[in-house]
Amino acid sequence: MLYSKKLYIYTAFFVLYEVSVYLSNDMIMPGMVNVIKEFHAPIQYAATSLSYFIIGGCILPLILNLVISRIGSRRVLILGNILFLFATLIITLSSNIHQFLWARFFQGMGLGFIFIGYATVHQLFDDITAIKVIALLSNISIMAPLAGPIIGAAIISSYNWRVISVFLGILGLVSLCGLYRYMPEITRDDPIPSATLSTCLKTLKDGLFLRGSLLICLSGIITVAWVGISPVIIFHTYKLSSSYYINYQILVFSGSIISSILIQFINSQNAVNIIKIGSSFALVGLIVSFIFSIISQLLCVFGLFIFTFGAGLYIGIINRIIIRHLGHLSVNLVTAITSTSVALTNCLGLETANFICLKSSYTFFSLAAFNAIIGFICFLLTRNFMGKLNRTNFMFSVQH
């Protein structure tokens, strides 16, 4: 199947919007200790700011799914870009920690629109091509946790943290112009009915969907906990320099980049087996991280590298399986439910990890112990998911 140049250009501008939203968090995280000091707030608010950001993103997807069925995906995503720009401007006007947190909440709403772009990819590409495109999208968006701390630390070292909003505003404005020019409108000859409460509840009761989405949610907790709590551990507890923070971020998320590159070589025959391989790597990585969390900071972080590599192998495939399994429902609805579930679970997981680490004085060991427990649950859930999948005789489709 041949895809138009305009579609790929749209994908590029969607990635720019996605990266802008993620950068709005990752660029500020290395400066959260500075924000806390400026506003004279408790240190635990550093991770809580990420929770506000995530909660902002999780309240919209299901509502937006209803709006999409009436005015279309294109208008909704463009409105989301405008909202993000407005919130980014407002955050520069914060004068205390509570105003900052609420500004982060509205800025985080930009997350709620990202599922629309992914749903568009699922609708316009065949199974294997969609997995590869999604992996590339994830690969590029994963650069945010790598580039974000570097750019953010560079800005904060010379300027006030509010300058970050100016940088993000420029990126957001460029993505807005690109989406307005190139984003296609998805039309259907046989439109699927809009979501209802009963439809959502029925979807949540589906065994394969429940297992797959829960696996994606729990896997995400580990990454979010690292993003939210690592600045406090590195800067506040261990008094390390920005170079340590940047290097640790690069090490952790380079695992996801490597796995997303390898995903480009999968086919319909080996896709399912990669789930088993990825989950095994993920568990081994978290065990390594836990064992060495007291002995060596570097080996503890290296364990997270192994985890992100493994998780990167299976998350995209499981997500596609969920979409295909619920093919009788709107892709927007399924991705909206998944996005909301992931955001709520990540927020709850982050606050749990933050509470545990606060009681343990924010150490690598406390975070690694929390991650190991979640990782073991993920591993067991993966095996359960695979058993359920095998009973459905699921097969990927490929169009030529």
Side-chain angles (χ1 to χ4, degrees), residues 199-237:
T199 303
C200 292
L201 291 176
K202 184 177 180 180
T203 302
L204 291 173
K205 292 179 180 178
D206 182 89
L208 192 64
F209 172 82
L210 183 62
R211 290 169 175 81
S213 59
L214 183 58
L215 181 55
I216 294 173
C217 290
L218 292 178
S219 299
I221 287 176
I222 297 171
T223 303
V224 169
W226 167 258
V227 171
I229 298 175
S230 62
V232 180
I233 294 176
I234 294 171
F235 294 128
H236 180 72
T237 303

Side-chain angles (χ1 to χ4, degrees), residues 128 131 266-275 313 317 396:
I128 298 301
I131 290 174
I266 71 168
N267 54 53
S268 58
Q269 282 73 42
N270 62 20
V272 174
N273 290 330
I274 290 178
I275 298 177
L313 290 177
I317 299 175
F396 282 110

Side-chain angles (χ1 to χ4, degrees), residues 56-262:
C58 78
I59 65 173
L60 289 180
L62 290 176
I63 299 174
L64 292 178
N65 182 67
L66 297 175
V67 178
I68 288 172
S69 64
R70 289 167 173 77
I71 68 174
S73 301
R74 183 175 182 275
R75 292 181 181 179
V76 174
L77 185 54
I78 289 174
L79 287 174
N81 199 322
I82 294 174
L83 174 62
F84 171 75
L85 281 173
F86 177 76
T88 300
L89 174 64
I90 293 299
I91 208 170
T92 62
L93 305 178
S94 302
S95 59
N96 59 62
I97 190 62
H98 298 292
Q99 292 178 3
F100 177 84
L101 291 176
W102 280 110
R104 290 275 289 160
F105 171 81
F106 288 106
Q107 189 180 51
M109 285 186 174
L111 290 171
F113 294 84
I114 289 176
F115 83 92
I116 298 173
Y118 280 84
T120 302
V121 171
H122 282 297
Q123 288 173 302
L124 295 176
F125 294 94
D126 63 72
D127 286 340
I128 298 301
T129 305
I131 290 174
K132 293 179 179 181
V133 172
I134 292 297
L136 284 175
L137 292 179
S138 299
N139 182 19
I140 297 172
S141 64
I142 285 168
M143 292 302 294
L146 297 179
I150 298 174
I151 301 173
I155 293 176
I156 292 171
S157 64
S158 303
Y159 306 98
N160 187 276
W161 56 266
R162 290 178 173 84
V163 176
I164 292 175
S165 295
V166 177
F167 177 81
L168 295 171
I170 295 173
L171 293 183
L173 184 61
V174 174
S175 67
L176 176 62
C177 295
L179 290 175
Y180 181 82
R181 174 68 176 82
Y182 292 103
M183 182 175 181
E185 184 62 84
I186 305 299
T187 58
R188 304 183 65 98
D189 297 328
D190 54 339
I192 299 175
S194 300
T196 62
L197 179 59
S198 60
T199 303
C200 292
L201 291 176
K202 184 177 180 180
T203 302
L204 291 173
K205 292 179 180 178
D206 182 89
L208 192 64
F209 172 82
L210 183 62
R211 290 169 175 81
S213 59
L214 183 58
L215 181 55
I216 294 173
C217 290
L218 292 178
S219 299
I221 287 176
I222 297 171
T223 303
V224 169
W226 167 258
V227 171
I229 298 175
S230 62
V232 180
I233 294 176
I234 294 171
F235 294 128
H236 180 72
T237 303
Y238 291 90
K239 310 296 183 183
L240 300 176
S241 65
S242 297
S243 61
Y244 279 91
Y245 177 76
I246 293 171
N247 290 332
Y248 287 166
Q249 290 289 98
I250 293 174
L251 179 58
V252 169
F253 290 102
S254 59
S256 296
I257 295 176
I258 295 173
S259 63
S260 64
I261 294 174
L262 293 179

